[in-house]
């Protein structure tokens, strides 16, 4: 049995600092219900937030989406402009 942490002397080992807090389902529903979808700007934000949540895409990647990147038949989105330069 070890009495001390043998990894203390090793550099570049990253430890998780804290637990990531996430929103509850109720909180997400309240955010979506807060949008007034009769206004274009709020409807656009509503769609953007849904896309971000459903695809787990980055904001920048999602903002670069074009109509040709969305396949409505297969219900899929292809991110063309990504941070890693991969589809």
């Amino acid at each position: 049995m070890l009495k001390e942490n043998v990894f203390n002397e090793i550099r570049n080992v990253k430890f998780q600092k804290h637990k990531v807090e996430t929103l509850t389902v109720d909180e997400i529903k309240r955010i979506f219900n807060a949008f007034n979808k009769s206004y274009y700007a709020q409807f656009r934000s509503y769609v953007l937030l849904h896309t971000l949540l459903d695809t787990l895409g980055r904001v920048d990647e999602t903002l670069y989406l074009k109509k040709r990147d969305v396949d409505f038949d297969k219900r899929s989105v292809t991110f063309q402009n990504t941070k890693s330069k991969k589809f």
Side-chain angles (χ1 to χ4, degrees), residues 39-53:
Y39 294 105
Y40 174 76
Q42 290 196 28
F43 180 71
R44 180 185 57 200
S45 298
Y46 174 81
V47 171
L48 174 64
L49 194 58
H50 259 291
T51 306
L52 288 168
L53 186 62

Side-chain angles (χ1 to χ4, degrees), residues 23-37 42 45-46 49-50 53:
L23 297 172
T24 65
V25 173
D26 185 51
E27 290 170 328
I28 293 171
K29 286 179 182 179
R30 287 187 8 221
I31 290 171
F32 283 126
N33 290 333
F35 290 106
N36 184 346
K37 292 175 261 334
Q42 290 196 28
S45 298
Y46 174 81
L49 194 58
H50 259 291
L53 186 62

